[in-house]
Amino acid sequence: MLEARGVSVSYGAAPALWDIDLEVSTGELVCVVGPNGAGKTTLINAIAGLHRVRSGSIRYQGEDITHLPPHRFCDKGIALVPEGRRLFTQMSVLDNLELGSYIGRAKKLRRQSLEHVLTLFPALNAKLHHLAGSLSGGQQQMVAIGRGLMARPGLLLLDEPSLGLSPLVVHTMFEAIRQINQEGTSILLVEQNVSMAMALAERAYVVEEGRIVTHGAASELLRSPAIRRAYLGLDDEPGTSPAAPIVTPASEI
Ligand code: ATP
């Protein structure tokens, strides 16, 4: 479905990504993990058309989208939920959601899409006419993901959806991401929360200093001693990590 080959990106003269090969197949949930400043946001933004690709190519459903203007991505079926949510805080939740469905097919399906988002995130029902900026961090992240879903994407690009959220809220957010994927949307997830991202994803790419240093089945990478030491701070054997947190119902966030 998505295929990046040999992608390099620079900020001016400063290279940020080198020779990235990455794939997401139809229906897959794939994560990209790595330390601060590794290039994860640059990578997901390049896939969303927000950075000029210096060399290499990006194809989506067989079509070369490497140099497609950013505003065309939505219509192609690719939606980005950016790091930091980027909501219009002085607009209502409903207006923010509807902004996700302004063009093409998504506009015709707006009512069904809104129902779907409110089923996924019932806490937003009572907040539709509140200013987005008045919501809790978890609720704002729901609006950001909801706005992405309003575009009816085939591929959802999620940049750090756990950023700034408490562990219990993160767990609930990840359950929603799992559900979105199970309903048929392919997902590329960028995360610093390595253990949760890898527990959710089928495959993972590890980025360091602008390069993919390893990739493979997330369950296997999670068992790798190098990954456990570098990213999870664990020297123990797999399977001895602390138990998963208790889930907070989405309605209570
Ligand atoms: P984080 O988890 O902190 O967001 P990241 O893995 O997403 O990190 P990026 O934000 O993609 O990393 O940054 C990759 C590299 O590019 C870093 O060295 C960063 O300093 C640099 N960089 C990011 N944005 C810019 C910019 N607008 N101009 C110049 N350099 C930038």
Side-chain angles (χ1 to χ4, degrees):
M1 162 175 254
L2 179 82
E3 196 181 11
R5 286 280 167 263
V7 168
S8 299
V9 174
S10 301
Y11 289 104
L17 292 178
W18 285 266
D19 203 19
I20 300 287
D21 286 344
L22 176 148
E23 283 171 29
V24 180
S25 300
T26 303
E28 248 192 332
L29 200 168
V30 174
C31 70
V32 177
V33 299
N36 269 339
K40 305 180 297 298
T41 294
T42 305
L43 174 57
I44 206 166
N45 283 348
I47 290 169
L50 299 179
H51 290 311
R52 201 174 70 81
V53 171
R54 192 162 49 86
S55 59
S57 68
I58 304 175
R59 300 180 76 80
Y60 179 68
Q61 292 183 326
E63 185 183 346
D64 190 337
I65 58 164
T66 317
H67 300 294
L68 200 68
H71 66 273
R72 299 278 318 280
F73 277 69
C74 231
D75 233 14
K76 292 282 171 208
I78 301 176
L80 170 69
V81 180
E83 183 175 7
R85 300 161 200 142
R86 304 284 170 92
L87 297 181
F88 294 94
T89 53
Q90 294 302 313
M91 288 169 57
S92 72
V93 167
L94 182 59
D95 286 344
N96 270 276
L97 290 173
E98 289 190 338
L99 276 175
S101 61
Y102 250 85
I103 46 172
R105 197 173 64 92
K107 194 169 182 177
K108 296 194 192 91
L109 297 170
R110 181 179 281 174
R111 183 170 290 277
Q112 294 100 300
S113 305
L114 184 61
E115 276 173 24
H116 174 234
V117 170
L118 295 177
T119 306
L120 194 64
F121 299 122
L124 297 183
N125 264 298
K127 303 284 182 182
L128 280 180
H129 301 289
H130 292 220
L131 292 182
S134 71
L135 269 54
S136 70
Q139 290 168 344
Q140 290 195 25
Q141 188 61 58
M142 292 175 191
V143 178
I145 294 176
R147 182 178 58 186
L149 290 175
M150 292 291 289
R152 311 289 289 208
L155 175 66
L156 190 63
L157 306 173
L158 296 172
D159 192 356
E160 300 269 8
S162 73
L163 196 70
L165 305 183
S166 72
L168 294 182
V169 177
V170 170
H171 199 82
T172 306
M173 203 60 67
F174 273 44
E175 280 307 314
I177 293 168
R178 186 197 302 278
Q179 189 178 336
I180 292 164
N181 177 245
Q182 284 173 348
E183 288 170 355
T185 306
S186 310
I187 294 179
L188 183 63
L189 169 69
V190 158
E191 259 300 334
Q192 280 192 45
N193 191 330
V194 177
S195 56
M196 289 192 72
M198 285 206 186
L200 192 66
E202 289 150 64
R203 289 190 306 110
Y205 291 83
V206 181
V207 180
E208 287 176 12
E209 297 181 355
R211 299 175 199 274
I212 289 174
V213 292
T214 184
H215 67 99
S219 55
E220 279 171 30
L221 289 179
L222 254 184
R223 283 198 292 270
S224 132
I227 297 286
R228 291 174 73 75
R229 265 196 307 277
Y231 294 101
L232 307 179
L234 298 171
D235 275 325
D236 61 345
E237 286 300 311
T240 58
S241 321
I246 302 155
V247 183
T248 307
S251 56
E252 290 174 21
I253 293 171

